[in-house]
Amino acid sequence: MPSSARILVVDDHEEMGQMLKEPLTDAGYRVDLSTGGADAIAQLRARVYDVVLCDLRMEEVDGLDVLAAARRHDPELPVLLMTAFGAVESAVEAMKRGAWHYLTKPFRLDEVLLHVGRALEARRLRAEHRDLKRQVAQRSGLGALLGHSVPMRTLYELIDRVASSEAPVLIRGESGSGKELVARALHSEGPRSQAPFVAVNCTALPHALLESELFGHIKGAFSGATTTRRGLFVEADGGTLFLDEIGDMPPELQAKLLRVLQDGEVRAVGADGSRRVDVRILAATHQDLDARVKEGRFRADLFYRLNVVSLRVPPLRERTEDIPKLAEHFVTQARARNPRSPVTTLAPEAVATLGRMPWPGNVRELENLVERLVVLGAQPTVDLAQLKLHTTDAAPEVHPLAAAHGQVVPLRQLEGEYIAWVVARCGGNKTRAAELLGIDVSTIHRRERTDSGVSQR
């Protein structure tokens, strides 16, 4: 809006500057005046401007110097230069150096307002585009992967190293652990980030249609092929093709996929010729492909082609310290989808309980549970009792010492888990738990805030 835009007017003739300031101010802009190039450069260093309106010809420090300083300070800052009719060639040179526009004197004030408005609109659109790209990158790149546990930090480091490569990557992990998020991060952090990312689940389509889906078909190639289809390899040309659950691909299709990886060419079903494609392959599976190769259920040569780089996505039970952050994130997402829900947070004892659940469905199971809690919750804070109402298999009553059997765990972790276990045994009554433990109830509150990483609101 004009009221939020600040304009710097630069002209060594003070009366010309005042003449421009008045209509700009009347239009709702905040306007600063500068009577020389050196002063203008100093003001650019001291304050943020949205548009600079500058005379081209000035003594000592001219408009080109101001333009250069403005672009060093903010490469996207629009600079409009004012010039006499005889200096149009200089103005054109200024445009080549990055000026937004030039105005030839004498000019009409409505012309000035028009070009200032256009410059501000272009600046706003660039900022929105930049923010949108940042949001997309966060949703599809490393920003979409949450957690600071040791297994996740190791995974981030591997993604960072592998993303710039063209080598195929085999992503291993249990169902719901986030394999597609890893694939998207590899794509968005790599050189193909501006090209298509195409994903296909090899178990989601009937085997008879998977070949056509991958390689395409021509019209009339088979019954029902009423139009020509390019296929996902062609759609991903120049980018990345993600083959999810590759272990379930039928053997006859494995051979055709191997030929594509070897030759870089695809042949649509029913076509006479092939087409070259440039595609990076990322594949994922929850199955033990090594065992399937030994059993003869997956081609060894295709396995070696895909397994150039292997990444393992840790299951949620191996990174339970990430659960508080994940739960908080999923609450925020669920609230955005269900704005009428009163739920804003999970109580620390509820989060601690989440950390002791088995999570066979991994992060996807946690996300679904949090969604259910937000949809069905009736209070701002979901406590332990509400959590148990909405879980079919609430945290088993496993003593922390039994859970740690055969492992060496930090004493502080074991102490925190024991406190949470006692609180759970007391039905969430912290005062009673503190009495049994022989500690002050404030110690329980402090440990829960520290251990859960969730602040009470």
Side-chain angles (χ1 to χ4, degrees), residues 12-256:
D12 54 0
H13 294 89
E14 189 172 353
E15 62 276 12
M16 174 61 75
Q18 288 292 345
M19 185 188 75
L20 288 168
K21 179 177 181 179
E22 292 179 6
L24 289 169
T25 302
D26 291 342
Y29 300 113
R30 293 175 295 170
V31 183
D32 292 337
L33 290 182
S34 177
T35 56
D39 179 62
I41 293 173
Q43 290 199 57
L44 284 169
R45 294 194 185 110
R47 180 169 288 172
V48 176
Y49 289 98
D50 298 293
V51 174
V52 175
L53 191 59
C54 182
D55 192 21
L56 180 60
R57 295 296 176 89
M58 295 184 293
E59 297 292 334
E60 297 182 1
V61 179
D62 64 10
L64 291 178
D65 297 321
V66 175
L67 171 63
R71 289 189 61 77
R72 286 195 301 270
H73 180 71
D74 179 359
E76 295 185 355
L77 177 61
V79 178
L80 286 75
L81 293 173
M82 303 174 290
T83 180
F85 179 76
V88 170
E89 288 186 4
S90 299
V92 172
E93 176 61 27
M95 295 284 288
K96 293 179 181 178
R97 298 190 189 185
W100 166 260
H101 195 70
Y102 70 89
L103 300 165
T104 305
K105 298 177 182 178
F107 45 72
R108 301 192 310 274
L109 292 177
D110 59 348
E111 182 183 4
V112 175
L113 292 172
L114 174 65
H115 287 294
V116 167
R118 287 177 175 174
L120 287 169
E121 178 65 11
R123 184 172 173 82
R124 182 187 67 80
L125 290 174
R126 281 198 300 269
E128 287 184 358
H129 179 65
R130 186 168 55 250
D131 290 343
L132 181 60
K133 287 181 65 177
R134 186 183 303 116
Q135 292 172 22
V136 170
Q138 290 174 345
R139 287 196 298 268
S140 60
L142 285 173
L145 294 167
L146 298 176
H148 297 287
S149 60
V150 172
M152 289 304 291
R153 291 201 301 270
T154 301
L155 180 61
Y156 298 152
E157 292 172 2
L158 289 172
I159 291 173
D160 188 55
R161 288 161 54 189
V162 173
S164 59
S165 170
E166 291 293 314
V169 179
L170 182 60
I171 305 168
R172 302 172 186 248
E174 297 178 6
S175 295
S177 58
K179 297 187 291 298
E180 183 168 344
L181 287 178
V182 172
R184 290 184 180 277
L186 286 168
H187 172 76
S188 64
E189 300 293 325
R192 296 174 180 257
S193 60
Q194 301 304 311
F197 175 89
V198 178
V200 59
N201 189 315
C202 297
T203 63
L205 292 170
H207 290 174
L209 296 179
L210 188 55
E211 179 180 2
S212 171
E213 187 75 10
L214 287 174
F215 308 128
H217 63 256
I218 64 172
K219 182 178 179 180
F222 52 84
S223 177
T226 56
T227 60
T228 296
R229 176 174 174 76
R230 296 193 305 166
L232 297 182
F233 265 95
V234 175
E235 288 184 16
D237 194 16
T240 302
L241 179 62
F242 174 52
L243 301 172
D244 198 8
E245 299 303 347
I246 188 73
D248 293 313
M249 180 174 284
E252 62 274 13
L253 208 53
Q254 294 177 26
K256 295 181 179 180

Side-chain angles (χ1 to χ4, degrees), residues 336-397:
R337 292 188 292 266
N338 304 276
R340 298 179 63 182
S341 171
V343 175
T344 59
T345 188
L346 307 183
E349 59 268 24
V351 176
T353 299
L354 293 178
R356 299 192 300 275
M357 292 174 66
W359 300 115
N362 293 293
V363 178
R364 186 184 297 125
E365 182 184 359
L366 174 61
E367 181 178 14
N368 291 340
L369 172 59
V370 171
E371 179 93 18
R372 185 159 65 250
L373 293 171
V374 171
V375 171
L376 300 177
Q379 301 295 329
T381 300
V382 176
D383 60 20
L384 185 58
Q386 291 172 315
L387 173 64
K388 290 184 175 181
L389 284 175
H390 299 298
T391 52
T392 56
D393 183 20
E397 292 290 337

Side-chain angles (χ1 to χ4, degrees), residues 391-411:
T391 52
T392 56
D393 183 20
E397 292 290 337
V398 179
H399 193 285
L401 289 176
H405 180 69
Q407 303 181 55
V408 176
V409 298
L411 179 60

Side-chain angles (χ1 to χ4, degrees), residues 256-375:
K256 295 181 179 180
L257 175 60
L258 177 63
R259 283 199 298 271
V260 175
L261 297 181
Q262 291 173 334
D263 304 334
E265 295 182 347
V266 295
R267 174 176 292 186
V269 178
D272 295 328
S274 300
R275 170 174 175 168
R276 292 203 62 81
V277 290
D278 172 25
V279 175
R280 186 187 188 185
I281 297 294
L282 306 177
T285 182
H286 72 283
Q287 300 188 23
D288 185 350
L289 282 192
D290 305 79
R292 291 178 72 85
V293 168
K294 293 177 181 177
E295 296 166 359
R297 301 171 65 186
F298 197 86
R299 293 182 64 105
D301 43 8
L302 177 59
F303 172 71
Y304 297 132
R305 279 276 181 178
L306 295 172
N307 197 37
V308 176
V309 177
S310 180
L311 296 182
R312 178 180 178 270
V313 185
L316 188 55
R317 63 181 175 276
E318 292 183 7
R319 55 183 190 106
T320 54
E321 58 265 50
D322 293 331
I323 286 178
K325 180 72 172 178
L326 288 165
E328 183 180 20
H329 174 71
F330 292 145
V331 167
T332 300
Q333 286 191 325
R335 278 182 52 79
R337 292 188 292 266
N338 304 276
R340 298 179 63 182
S341 171
V343 175
T344 59
T345 188
L346 307 183
E349 59 268 24
V351 176
T353 299
L354 293 178
R356 299 192 300 275
M357 292 174 66
W359 300 115
N362 293 293
V363 178
R364 186 184 297 125
E365 182 184 359
L366 174 61
E367 181 178 14
N368 291 340
L369 172 59
V370 171
E371 179 93 18
R372 185 159 65 250
L373 293 171
V374 171
V375 171

